[in-house]
């Protein structure tokens, strides 16, 4: 079993910053990549940013230049630094981790989400 837990969401004014954290734990052999997604009310879940074990990152056009994804030294953690937040960034933010479990089977696990609200 692999668990993914997000933290760091909250209420912030437009133009403010937040940093989200995500930790993957459990029966993990290796993690290939981790990423952040978000879902606003009435909309589909969308990619925000993803970081790949082989190197490289992918960002949604709407967050390029404002958000930065990074991995922790232990490689089972991922962070999302969000600057210059806008009301349209308001959403439930989910973390996703993909890799191999200790049983050598692949896993693709989502967290429960952390709410980010940008409002004055």
């Amino acid at each position: 079993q692999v668990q993914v837990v997000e933290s760091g969401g909250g209420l912030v004014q437009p133009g403010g910053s937040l940093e989200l954290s995500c930790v993957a734990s459990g029966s993990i052999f290796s993690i290939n990549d981790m990423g952040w997604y978000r879902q606003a009310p009435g909309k589909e879940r969308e990619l925000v940013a993803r970081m790949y074990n082989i190197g490289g990152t992918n960002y949604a056009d709407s967050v390029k230049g404002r958000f930065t994804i990074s991995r922790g030294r232990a490689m089972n953690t991922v962070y999302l630094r969000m600057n210059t937040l806008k009301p349209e960034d308001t959403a439930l933010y989910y973390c996703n981790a993909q890799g191999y479990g200790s049983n050598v089977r692949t896993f693709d696990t989502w967290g429960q989400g952390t709410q980010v609200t940008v409002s004055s």
Side-chain angles (χ1 to χ4, degrees):
Q1 288 277 2
V2 176
Q3 299 81 39
V4 172
V5 178
E6 308 98 334
S7 62
L11 173 64
V12 63
Q13 293 186 342
S17 298
L18 274 178
E19 183 170 82
L20 306 182
S21 301
C22 170
V23 179
S25 62
S27 303
I28 298 172
F29 177 73
S30 66
I31 297 178
N32 293 340
D33 48 81
M34 299 181 74
W36 290 95
Y37 295 73
R38 67 186 180 187
Q39 187 168 18
K43 295 188 176 181
E44 293 186 354
R45 189 176 298 187
E46 63 176 1
L47 170 72
V48 176
R50 194 162 189 92
M51 177 169 271
Y52 302 93
N53 222 23
I54 60 173
T57 56
N58 188 25
Y59 290 93
D61 288 342
S62 59
V63 307
K64 284 180 181 177
R66 299 188 298 123
F67 291 11
T68 303
I69 189 171
S70 61
R71 295 280 290 268
R73 286 187 176 181
M75 298 300 287
N76 68 328
T77 57
V78 65
Y79 305 96
L80 185 68
R81 179 67 181 180
M82 305 184 292
N83 295 326
T84 320
L85 282 160
K86 305 176 181 179
E88 50 264 43
D89 294 317
T90 295
L92 190 59
Y93 283 69
Y94 295 92
C95 179
N96 173 262
Q98 295 180 359
Y100 291 93
S102 56
N103 58 6
V104 199
R105 292 185 178 178
T106 60
F107 67 85
D108 182 349
T109 303
W110 294 86
Q112 294 296 307
T114 184
Q115 179 67 39
V116 173
T117 302
V118 185
S119 174
S120 55

